[in-house]
Amino acid sequence: MASLSMKSVRKSYGAVEVIKGVDLDIADGEFVVVVGPSGCGKSPLLRMVAGLEEITAGTMEIGGRVVNDLEPKDRGIAMVFQSYALYPHKTVYDNMAFGLHIAKAPKAEVDAKVKKAAEILKLEPYLDRLPKQLSGGQRQRVAIGRAIVRNPEVFLFDEPLSNLDAALRVNTRAEIAKLHRDLGATMIYVTHDQVEAMTLADKIVVLEGGYAQQIGTPMELYHTPANLFVAGFIGSPKMNYIEVTVAEVSADGVKVAAPDIGEALLPIDPDKAAVGDRATLGIRPEDMRHGKTDGITVSGRVELVERLGHETLVEITTTNGLDLKGIIDGTTLISLGDTTDLSFAAASCHLFDSAGKALTRREVPEVVRARRGT
Amino acid sequence: MPSRTPETRATSLFMRYAILVLVALIFVFPLVFMLVSSLKPSMQLLSDTSSIRAFLPVGDISLDNYTASFARAPVALFIFNSIFVTSVTVVLNLVICSMAGFSFAFLDWKGKDVMLSIVIATLIVPLETIAIPLLLVVNNLPWIGADGIEWGWLNSYRVQIVPFLSDALTVFLFVQYFRDLPRDLIEAARIDGASWFQIYAKVIMPISGPVIATAAILRFLAMYNQYLWPLMVTQSEQYRPVMVGLQYFFQLNTDWGQVMAYLSMITVPVLAFYLALQRAFITSIASTGIKG
Ligand SMILES: Nc1ncnc2c1ncn2[C@@H]1O[C@H](COP(=O)(O)OP(=O)(O)OP(=O)(O)O)[C@@H](O)[C@H]1O
Ligand SMILES: [Mg+2]
């Protein structure tokens, strides 16, 4: 078992710098998910941990030991690839046993470890099969089994579920979560699926533009995104943005003004705001209500109605051309072309300065402090 | 596409078979002619060539030509020499070239790209161009034999083997094949702790059946058909291969029956090798599961 720490880790391919300095501390036994849009360098980051990719600059420590120049096999890691990377000519048993054979482990030990992994992953009936005789989900389990057999201190996963169909993905996700509970190993998991990130992670790293945009628990990222990028990336449908001007700064918070909402006092730390500043108000679709309630109200023409049963997604356009999405009660009667009101509480609002950095929210739900499983 | 009636389907199937049969015949007829002619006396052989009888075992049929060939030349020795030189060369060549291909495809070293282009550039240099300089080289090479160091490699097996231990085409075939293999496989093996040699021997080569078979067939044919080089470097009969041995049948009076008998005999190893490998080739594709 091991902790892991990266200090200003960088990665360049020739003249192109993909990772521009990432600092990350992972505690022993933590499940860290790295998310980010395609091409943001998630895989290179993971491969630097694995030792498959040279670290251009910075230091990488696993279990307190600098591993920059260590071979993959000496880092105490195991990796599960998106493509599974099973040896096509070896049986399931030999796929899992290969690493131990290479390490010249005694036959009895190899057998015990492989059998144990097969038992955990319910692979016993398939030990004599070749990978091509397995389904996608079974191959995935063999790949995980191969990692378990190595008994690593850190498990690395690179989009392990992206080749599975939706139902299998949900199952395997749960299995990986269970595996983490049972083994208690440190795990780093790369994905671009935010559902995987939210459900699996103790800690999420949002990677974009070569930097870690924010590192925090899933609830921190959702309720207190550090900047516009994270706010837009976490949550679906995307957070709504309204361009506003700071009208008044007081001990009570920040009063903002915009044509569509008039003036509104938001419970936001006023230190970093000055009257006249341009800012962006962020409000999540799920924090919207139908009709006028107390709070901030916006009215517009209904442009889209998607009824999902338990809830309905609506999109309105105001007379000023502002588009807003809202998720409202599934039984609400509403139709295209209607003029309707959406409203939201000031406490649900996020405020970002002109550089896109979040101003501190004062009223944050209790759940932000909850740990996983509580 | 216009919809096809069963009749046009049948016609097109018939056409396809007809063309295949025709092509097969074009390839098979010379072989049949060779085999049939080897059983006929020269006089009949020549007169038969003007009719369909050329392809039929009719008339005065016997194995006399075979007996006569053995009397005329040490056929068994030639075939042995060829098979020995060819198989040793092919095996070593595949090992060396696959290792080179592995290095070009997977390892990182300075000047790799330049090196690979140089290797591939040698593809355009035919053996004939370098035969004379090569002869001078091998004539001055040392060898540690039973009685100390000796100079010059002429009249030996090694002079027929060593210059062909590597070749650009085979390296190229391996590089191409290896580059198409998934890199994840190698990385998984590295994480499993395999050394580069273990990755080569235990991960890559076992799934390289198709390219090994292809390279083996090409190399085998090239080596077995060697003529110019062995002719230059083997003055003594003891080391001569089959193609040089063919000369024995073209002196003073050419007995075509014996030529055909000799050719039939030296064709057998090629066919046997080819058929054996073809089977290995097909099973290797089927069993590695590279295709799916
Ligand atoms: N071996 C390499 N050589 C050169 N450039 C590379 C290499 N590997 C990755 N890159 C570059 O690094 C950038 C990020 O890599 P990559 O696409 O793997 O990121 P990612 O976040 O894993 O994306 P995805 O979600 O699509 O897997 C890309 O612009 C890619 O071109
Ligand atoms: Mg990736």
Side-chain angles (χ1 to χ4, degrees):
Chain A
M1 302 301 105
S3 59
L4 187 147
S5 131
M6 298 183 202
K7 294 201 181 71
S8 18
V9 163
R10 289 162 176 266
K11 177 72 204 173
S12 313
Y13 295 102
V16 186
E17 192 165 39
V18 178
I19 306 281
K20 299 174 182 164
V22 168
D23 294 278
L24 177 61
D25 284 303
I26 299 176
D28 182 15
E30 213 169 12
F31 198 122
V32 172
V33 176
V34 180
V35 286
S38 189
C40 70
K42 304 181 293 291
S43 299
L45 189 70
L46 196 71
R47 293 160 52 82
M48 284 194 284
V49 178
L52 296 170
E53 206 83 73
E54 213 176 301
I55 297 165
T56 311
T59 46
M60 174 94 59
E61 286 177 19
I62 299 179
R65 189 171 54 135
V66 176
V67 296
N68 283 45
D69 298 321
L70 288 187
E71 283 291 304
K73 67 172 182 343
D74 300 322
R75 294 187 179 201
I77 53 103
M79 183 156 167
V80 177
F81 293 85
Q82 180 178 1
S83 65
Y84 316 140
L86 300 180
Y87 310 120
H89 59 295
K90 291 185 191 294
T91 60
V92 167
Y93 184 99
D94 288 333
N95 260 284
M96 295 201 271
F98 185 62
L100 295 171
H101 283 316
I102 295 281
K104 303 216 163 42
K107 221 176 165 51
E109 184 194 329
V110 175
D111 208 55
K113 284 188 171 171
V114 172
K115 293 273 163 62
K116 175 121 187 294
E119 192 193 318
I120 294 174
L121 297 163
K122 301 187 197 71
L123 283 170
E124 285 127 323
Y126 312 111
L127 287 175
D128 294 328
R129 297 220 193 150
L130 290 173
K132 65 170 175 171
Q133 297 164 321
L134 300 176
S135 72
Q138 291 163 345
R139 287 181 207 183
Q140 175 63 68
R141 295 217 295 279
V142 177
I144 295 175
R146 187 168 62 182
I148 293 178
V149 165
R150 283 184 56 70
N151 194 21
E153 299 182 316
V154 182
F155 278 84
L156 307 175
F157 297 88
D158 192 352
E159 309 205 16
L161 307 186
S162 55
N163 287 341
L164 301 179
D165 65 46
L168 208 49
R169 206 176 298 172
V170 174
N171 280 337
T172 317
R173 198 172 75 207
E175 278 175 30
I176 291 178
K178 182 169 182 312
L179 194 69
H180 178 243
R181 281 199 304 276
D182 293 349
L183 300 178
T186 311
M187 296 191 172
I188 306 181
Y189 185 108
V190 160
T191 180
H192 56 240
D193 182 319
Q194 52 163 302
V195 178
E196 283 171 29
M198 298 299 276
T199 52
L200 287 171
D202 292 318
K203 189 148 98 183
I204 297 180
V205 179
V206 180
L207 195 69
E208 199 265 335
Y211 298 102
Q213 297 289 343
Q214 188 172 3
I215 300 174
T217 65
M219 287 303 106
E220 280 167 2
L221 264 58
Y222 180 80
H223 291 291
T224 54
N227 54 42
L228 275 174
F229 178 80
V230 177
F233 191 77
I234 303 286
S236 168
K238 247 180 97 158
M239 183 185 278
N240 295 299
Y241 297 137
I242 304 171
E243 296 306 324
V244 297
T245 333
V246 176
E248 193 184 318
V249 176
S250 68
D252 296 339
V254 179
K255 188 175 270 182
V256 296
D260 292 302
I261 58 171
E263 287 202 342
L265 178 67
L266 307 180
I268 298 275
D269 253 5
D271 337 352
K272 300 227 177 71
V275 174
D277 280 358
R278 305 197 65 75
T280 305
L281 184 157
I283 179 74
R284 295 198 183 275
E286 51 272 35
D287 290 330
M288 298 276 207
R289 303 273 170 280
H290 182 238
K292 273 193 176 68
T293 54
D294 14 49
I296 303 156
T297 304
V298 182
S299 42
R301 231 167 66 95
V302 178
E303 298 288 341
L304 177 80
V305 178
E306 281 178 350
R307 290 202 176 82
L308 302 174
H310 63 300
E311 60 189 24
T312 298
L313 175 70
V314 293
E315 186 176 327
I316 61 167
T317 303
T318 67
T319 45
N320 298 309
L322 175 71
D323 292 327
L324 290 177
K325 281 205 171 83
I327 292 177
I328 61 175
D329 192 80
T331 54
T332 314
L333 286 172
I334 195 168
S335 41
L336 276 181
D338 287 359
T339 297
T340 194
D341 293 331
L342 290 179
S343 58
F344 48 92
S348 309
C349 292
H350 301 251
L351 194 64
F352 303 91
D353 66 18
S354 54
K357 238 174 92 43
L359 303 180
T360 312
R361 293 176 73 191
R362 282 185 169 168
E363 292 174 27
V364 174
E366 191 60 33
V367 71
V368 167
R369 277 171 288 280
R371 309 304 309 175
R372 200 159 65 114
T374 60
Chain B
M1 224 165 77
S3 67
R4 298 165 127 214
T5 65
E7 290 85 65
T8 60
R9 284 259 302 279
T11 325
S12 92
L13 201 62
F14 174 79
M15 286 303 291
R16 236 185 286 172
Y17 273 107
I19 290 170
L20 283 179
V21 166
L22 194 71
V23 171
L25 286 181
I26 291 172
F27 281 97
V28 166
F29 269 139
L31 281 177
V32 172
F33 175 74
M34 175 182 81
L35 216 60
V36 166
S37 303
S38 73
L39 302 170
K40 300 174 182 172
S42 276
M43 291 302 292
Q44 188 203 330
L45 189 167
L46 292 176
S47 60
D48 279 356
T49 50
S50 52
S51 71
I52 187 70
R53 287 168 61 92
F55 300 106
L56 300 174
V58 289
D60 191 1
I61 295 298
S62 75
L63 290 176
D64 289 352
N65 288 329
Y66 288 85
T67 330
S69 318
F70 277 103
R72 191 151 182 173
V75 180
L77 175 70
F78 291 159
I79 291 184
F80 170 80
N81 286 347
S82 270
I83 290 181
F84 178 74
V85 165
T86 301
S87 17
V88 172
T89 314
V90 169
V91 170
L92 293 180
N93 176 284
L94 290 181
V95 172
I96 291 170
C97 292
S98 60
M99 283 185 174
F102 184 87
S103 171
F104 282 125
F106 300 127
L107 303 186
D108 272 328
W109 41 280
K110 245 197 159 66
K112 183 171 89 167
D113 295 340
V114 177
M115 203 62 179
L116 183 60
S117 359
I118 294 176
V119 169
I120 289 171
T122 64
L123 270 176
I124 57 167
V125 182
L127 178 65
E128 285 75 8
T129 334
I130 56 163
I132 303 291
L134 196 57
L135 182 67
L136 294 176
V137 170
V138 296
N139 195 27
N140 290 303
L141 285 177
W143 187 260
I144 301 172
D147 26 52
I149 292 193
E150 40 187 288
W151 293 88
W153 282 16
L154 299 189
N155 285 316
S156 64
Y157 286 129
R158 64 179 176 272
V159 75
Q160 299 179 65
I161 293 173
V162 176
F164 305 100
L165 286 186
S166 70
D167 73 288
L169 181 64
T170 312
V171 172
F172 181 68
L173 285 177
F174 277 108
V175 171
Q176 285 301 338
Y177 183 84
F178 289 162
R179 277 185 178 164
D180 286 343
L181 290 178
R183 279 197 91 84
D184 287 356
L185 221 48
I186 286 146
E187 297 181 337
R190 283 184 61 198
I191 289 178
D192 268 338
S195 64
W196 285 114
F197 182 75
Q198 285 169 324
I199 294 176
Y200 164 81
K202 297 189 168 167
V203 177
I204 298 303
M205 287 314 265
I207 56 172
S208 299
V211 66
I212 294 172
T214 309
I217 289 172
L218 291 178
R219 275 298 88 199
F220 184 95
L221 291 179
M223 284 308 294
Y224 196 78
N225 291 334
Q226 285 265 22
Y227 176 70
L228 178 69
W229 181 250
L231 185 67
M232 288 165 63
V233 296
T234 58
Q235 279 84 29
S236 80
E237 195 169 83
Q238 196 193 338
Y239 295 106
R240 285 189 170 160
V242 288
M243 290 306 158
V244 176
L246 193 54
Q247 283 181 318
Y248 286 56
F249 297 87
F250 288 104
Q251 285 151 0
L252 298 174
N253 56 332
T254 301
D255 185 313
W256 286 104
Q258 289 177 24
V259 170
M260 291 303 160
Y262 183 73
L263 288 176
S264 301
M265 286 187 283
I266 70 174
T267 306
V268 171
V270 181
L271 284 181
F273 178 79
Y274 182 76
L275 291 178
L277 260 199
Q278 195 188 32
R279 181 164 284 183
F281 183 81
I282 290 166
T283 46
S284 81
I285 294 183
S287 75
T288 57
I290 296 180
K291 285 197 63 188

